[in-house]
Amino acid sequence: MRDGVVWDRKAWALLFVLSGNMLLDALEVAVVLPALTPLGAGFAITTSDAQWVMSGFALGFALLLVPGPHLAARIGRKELYLGAMLVFAAASVVAGLTDSFGVLVATRVVKGLCAALTAPAGLAIIVSVFDGPARRRAVSVYSLFGAAGFTSGLLLSGVLSAHDWHWTFLFPAPVALVLFAAGLRVIPRAPAEPPPPLDRVVLRDGSLLRAGFGAAVLNGTYIGLMLLVTTQLAHLAPWQLALALLPASLPLVLAAPHGARLVRRFGTARLIAAGALCSSAGNALYLARPEPEPYATALLPVLLLVEAGFVLSFVALNLQATATVPADRRAAAVPVYQTFVQLGSAVSLPLVALLLTTGGPRAAMALVTAAAAVGAAVALTGLRSTTTGKVPS
């Protein structure tokens, strides 16, 4: 190991169990995109209805992020984590076998609730088990698996949805059960301390609120654009759609390990502003001509610009969220930031789907572009604050 720390097999096993579950949590939105067209045809529903399979997961995720640490302190971190994994696996089985759209949406909400418990708990376990350079390496691996989740979800769903959309929702079940069995052996049982109170110190922190709003806009406009493009490319086979969307996810996987280096060189505020401007430019470009074909000159430049926004600001937003929060309040601030991220999708998807159904692609893109422009404006205010010394970079 380059960090000079020798990890035993149990440490590696623990890291890959936690990271593997993080990957499952992260791919849950992406798997729906290639499956959206066959799913809509199977249930004979509109895009406005079908999007609830995506937004239901995001809504469930957002609902339990803040209460999650309190539940971990009461029940036990290991017990809560493993229990959520079992429920996640059960919900995946039900989702893969059901022919009821209402049941499918309900399982997606349940899986979102489970992800809200396992994702923060997994990171907390890593922080408690690994120290020093080993902790930084472990968090990097954990984050990399999370960044790879969207790409993995696209590719897997592209293959599975070509046969039957049910497999798209069923395949996480055996993976979650394997991770559960391994977690029984390698996850340490240790008490979780109650999180600090969510008080005015946290809720009035300008850096946290700006980062949370920026992340919500970045995530919401991104997933809104993906929904629109998926609807427009409904004539493609699921595997073709997955490949077409790869430029909107793969660059982040490749760049994520270098995010901290970018922050050290340019600072969080500059990267967040640059990312927001790239995202805004990409959405504005598609608003000018909301047609995905010819792919190389119409859609590809848009996807690359929007993804550049993530590459530049993904790590910076996470760091900026707690930059000015007192150390003893950061454990309360992180769930607030993560809730912003999920609410971005939960709010954006129904609105984009509604406008797409009632007003067409240009109306939907007008909303996405306007939201991205507001996000860029807020990011630029953070940049100005940095120059006056109010927000560290």
Side-chain angles (χ1 to χ4, degrees):
M1 298 289 296
R2 286 182 298 171
D3 54 22
V5 179
V6 178
W7 292 358
D8 58 21
R9 291 183 179 180
K10 189 171 183 179
W12 276 114
L14 172 63
L15 179 58
F16 281 109
V17 166
L18 300 176
S19 298
N21 194 65
M22 179 61 179
L23 186 143
L24 276 183
D25 292 342
L27 62 77
E28 278 296 321
V29 173
V31 296
V32 180
L33 289 170
L36 205 58
T37 298
L39 187 151
F43 287 112
I45 55 177
T46 65
T47 300
S48 186
D49 292 327
Q51 63 80 28
W52 284 109
V53 181
M54 299 172 68
S55 57
F57 178 80
L59 182 61
F61 208 142
L63 287 175
L64 271 190
L65 279 167
V66 173
H70 296 274
L71 291 174
R74 177 172 297 185
I75 299 172
R77 190 177 287 151
K78 178 175 182 177
E79 291 77 8
L80 184 69
Y81 187 94
L82 294 175
M85 287 185 69
L86 270 184
V87 176
F88 183 96
S92 297
V93 172
V94 175
L97 297 179
T98 187
D99 286 316
S100 165
F101 182 70
V103 172
L104 178 61
V105 172
T107 63
R108 296 287 294 169
V109 175
V110 170
K111 291 174 81 171
L113 294 171
C114 294
L117 298 176
T118 57
L123 184 59
I125 292 169
I126 286 176
V127 170
S128 67
V129 170
F130 297 91
D131 292 313
R135 177 186 294 174
R136 290 193 293 272
R137 180 63 59 83
V139 171
S140 296
V141 172
Y142 187 75
S143 302
L144 180 61
F145 271 66
F150 199 92
T151 299
S152 302
L154 282 177
L155 295 174
L156 283 169
S157 182
V159 173
L160 296 173
S161 298
H163 298 282
D164 188 336
W165 65 261
H166 289 83
W167 287 107
T168 300
F169 301 99
L170 183 61
F171 84 85
V175 179
L177 289 175
V178 170
L179 293 173
F180 170 82
L184 280 173
R185 301 186 63 181
V186 300
I187 295 177
R189 179 174 279 104
E193 295 183 3
L198 188 60
D199 54 17
R200 284 190 239 176
V201 175
V202 175
L203 296 177
R204 292 185 177 181
D205 186 275
S207 180
L208 168 62
L209 295 178
R210 222 175 353 254
F213 182 80
V217 170
L218 187 69
N219 197 44
T221 55
Y222 174 86
I223 202 63
L225 175 64
M226 293 300 101
L227 176 63
L228 171 59
V229 170
T230 297
T231 304
Q232 291 178 306
L233 295 178
H235 59 282
L236 296 181
W239 67 268
Q240 292 175 314
L241 175 64
L243 293 179
L245 296 181
L246 272 187
S249 63
L250 187 57
L252 179 60
V253 181
L254 301 176
H258 309 289
R261 193 179 309 162
L262 282 175
V263 169
R264 285 195 298 270
R265 182 169 182 180
F266 298 106
T268 55
R270 293 185 184 90
L271 290 173
I272 292 169
L277 288 172
C278 283
S279 176
S280 184
N283 287 302
L285 179 62
Y286 205 56
L287 175 63
R289 184 181 177 275
E291 295 290 338
E293 295 170 332
Y295 178 81
T297 57
L299 184 57
L300 181 59
V302 172
L303 297 181
L304 291 176
L305 272 172
V306 171
E307 180 67 358
F310 270 90
V311 169
L312 290 168
S313 59
F314 178 74
V315 174
L317 282 165
N318 282 274
L319 294 175
Q320 187 70 12
T322 56
T324 59
V325 177
D328 62 345
R329 292 290 191 274
R330 286 176 184 167
V334 171
V336 173
Y337 170 75
Q338 294 172 333
T339 301
F340 269 105
V341 174
Q342 297 304 323
L343 284 177
S345 292
V347 172
S348 171
L349 284 166
L351 292 176
V352 170
L354 177 63
L355 287 174
L356 184 59
T357 302
T358 59
R362 193 174 296 277
M365 273 313 301
L367 172 67
V368 171
T369 304
V374 172
V378 172
L380 289 173
T381 66
L383 187 61
R384 288 199 299 271
S385 296
T386 301
T387 62
T388 63
K390 293 181 182 178
V391 179
S393 62

